[in-house]
Amino acid sequence: MPDTRHAKHTPDPASAGHARSRTRCAVVGVIGRTNSGKSTLVNRLLGEKISIVSPVVQTTRNTIRGILDERRGQLVLVDTPGLHKAETKLGSLINRMARHAAANVDMLVLVLDGSQPPRIEDDGWMRRLLSAEQPCFFLLNKCDRPGTHAEDYRLLWQRIQDEKGERREVLCLRASAATGEGLASLVDALFEAAQPGERLYDRNTLTDYPRRLAIADAIREKYLMKLRGELPHELGVRVDDLRELPEAWAVEVSLLVNRPSQKPIVIGEKGRMLRDAQRAAERELSEQFGTDVKLSLRVKVEKNWMTNTWILRQMGYAGEY
Ligand SMILES: Nc1nc2c(ncn2[C@@H]2O[C@H](COP(=O)(O)OP(=O)(O)OP(=O)(O)O)[C@@H](O)[C@H]2O)c(=O)[nH]1
Ligand SMILES: [Mg+2]
């Protein structure tokens, strides 16, 4: 993927100044509980990976914007962290970020995990959507898996409306972010609900997610699959230095853990875990940015990094709101 697609937010000069627009544009919040498939959906819609994906809950920790550009207009897809029961300051920040993102978009897609029954977080989001001002859609995801809980979600929505004494028609689409099935209908529905307007981003822009955060995420993703128990949630990845040299990008990275006992696990036997993560991330990032990326990883014990606002800010978790 050419690096120019990871550009900064720049209004499209070609489209500026037109009073009446034939294009339709909208900022679309992709929301839902953790692990429902939001990031998989955004990546699939863009046809490129901009957001990390894993079977571990709380994979996404930032809001990440991806730009879907078509002749008919532009959808700015905002991937958000999944709501979950927060037990740490980081967890509460992440939940706040997701709610904040949902309040500041033109329309909302609530991604439901059709392969599992509804949970408390689905209930919470549906209640919010009932009174949300924006157009809303339900996307019943993972329909490639046998058995769907469509009826459970329908009943939940019905019960919430009965309880609140309010009615709202929401289009519910079945889809699979993994296979792409049903996603064309979603995109059509989103463009149809979008208002006429000019493009918000240059047509070639894929995402405005900062490089440092994208690099840190790629490394964290490599670890999410390998670590067990609490460790995936207690690992912080921070890019300390990024030098974009002509021959290769040189990146210095700290892997932060809470306790000394976690350090050898992250390094692995004879450094194997660290080396594997480094190589896999280097491969992926080099392809993504179209230049060689060399990572230098250091594991540090930073007690309570998850409650340290300064560190959280460096990781982009405490900005914007
Ligand atoms: N079978 C199947 N698996 C899916 C589908 N969509 C996502 N998954 C899997 O579900 C898991 C979670 O996917 P993510 O995209 O990381 O979920 P998320 O909603 O972004 O999760 P958080 O970032 O934690 O909120 C991964 O293992 C995905 O491969 C789908 O349509 N079908
Ligand atoms: Mg995600």
Side-chain angles (χ1 to χ4, degrees):
M1 175 170 47
D3 182 36
T4 50
R5 303 200 66 198
H6 290 257
K8 293 248 156 40
H9 178 175
T10 45
D12 183 1
S15 61
H18 291 268
R20 264 176 297 136
S21 168
R22 267 175 291 153
T23 50
R24 288 172 174 263
C25 296
V27 181
V28 183
V30 179
I31 54 171
R33 74 171 155 84
T34 182
N35 221 35
S36 61
K38 299 175 294 301
S39 302
T40 309
L41 172 70
V42 169
N43 290 340
R44 170 63 72 158
L45 288 174
L46 298 176
E48 304 253 15
K49 182 172 165 185
I50 61 153
S51 195
I52 60 168
V53 167
S54 93
V56 177
V57 295
Q58 294 158 47
T59 296
T60 306
R61 285 179 179 169
N62 294 92
T63 51
I64 300 171
R65 271 179 287 273
I67 294 101
L68 178 70
D69 192 278
E70 294 190 1
R71 273 175 67 110
R72 54 185 157 170
Q74 202 169 60
L75 299 174
V76 179
L77 303 165
V78 186
D79 185 17
T80 63
L83 275 201
H84 62 283
K85 195 163 156 277
E87 280 160 8
T88 60
K89 181 172 178 175
L90 173 59
S92 321
L93 272 173
I94 286 174
N95 279 344
R96 238 171 74 194
M97 201 188 289
R99 291 199 188 98
H100 180 266
N104 290 287
V105 293
D106 301 324
M107 54 184 83
L108 289 160
V109 176
L110 175 61
V111 181
L112 305 164
D113 184 341
S115 71
Q116 293 190 359
R119 296 207 193 135
I120 184 82
E121 295 87 351
D122 301 303
D123 182 296
W125 271 125
M126 283 186 176
R127 281 171 198 275
R128 278 171 181 268
L129 293 202
L130 186 57
S131 53
E133 284 168 11
Q134 309 100 314
C136 298
F137 301 89
F138 294 154
L139 189 79
L140 197 69
N141 191 30
K142 308 197 185 180
C143 287
D144 55 297
R145 288 196 178 156
T148 148
H149 291 267
E151 185 59 10
D152 297 333
Y153 286 100
R154 198 190 61 76
L155 289 173
L156 173 63
W157 180 233
Q158 188 65 45
R159 186 161 53 75
I160 290 169
Q161 292 180 89
D162 291 345
E163 226 176 78
K164 295 266 184 187
E166 289 173 42
R167 288 270 159 254
R168 179 164 193 179
E169 281 298 319
V170 174
L171 181 65
C172 182
L173 297 161
R174 292 183 188 215
S176 164
T179 66
E181 190 192 329
L183 297 189
S185 307
L186 174 68
V187 174
D188 287 346
L190 293 173
F191 271 116
E192 214 159 283
Q195 297 291 323
E198 303 300 338
R199 289 182 162 82
L200 292 165
Y201 289 83
D202 180 274
R203 293 202 70 177
N204 291 321
T205 303
L206 177 68
T207 178
D208 66 353
Y209 194 45
R211 277 174 193 160
R212 282 170 181 257
L213 302 186
I215 292 169
D217 272 2
I219 299 163
R220 199 163 60 81
E221 185 192 50
K222 303 298 164 265
Y223 267 106
L224 285 177
M225 315 281 186
K226 298 178 181 202
L227 299 174
R228 299 274 169 273
E230 281 309 300
L231 202 39
H233 310 298
E234 297 194 359
L235 177 71
V237 181
R238 184 182 64 198
V239 169
D240 297 320
D241 191 40
L242 166 61
R243 272 169 300 141
E244 298 178 22
L245 305 172
E247 62 280 12
W249 289 4
V251 196
E252 282 175 31
V253 182
S254 296
L255 304 182
L256 306 183
V257 291
N258 275 327
R259 285 175 275 135
S261 60
Q262 294 172 329
K263 193 170 168 176
I265 305 174
V266 171
I267 294 171
E269 206 182 324
K270 295 185 180 151
R272 193 171 297 143
M273 178 90 98
L274 194 69
R275 218 167 30 246
D276 287 353
Q278 178 189 340
R279 286 190 187 146
E282 280 179 346
R283 259 198 311 276
E284 183 176 305
L285 291 166
S286 297
E287 195 183 322
Q288 187 175 336
F289 291 109
T291 181
D292 271 354
V293 177
K294 297 279 174 228
L295 302 173
S296 149
L297 306 181
R298 273 200 308 166
V299 185
K300 288 184 192 163
V301 180
E302 191 78 53
K303 234 174 121 199
N304 301 326
W305 71 265
M306 295 165 86
T307 56
N308 182 325
T309 307
W310 173 242
I311 295 179
L312 294 174
R313 261 180 201 283
Q314 290 175 326
M315 293 178 177
Y317 301 149
E320 278 198 44
Y321 49 89

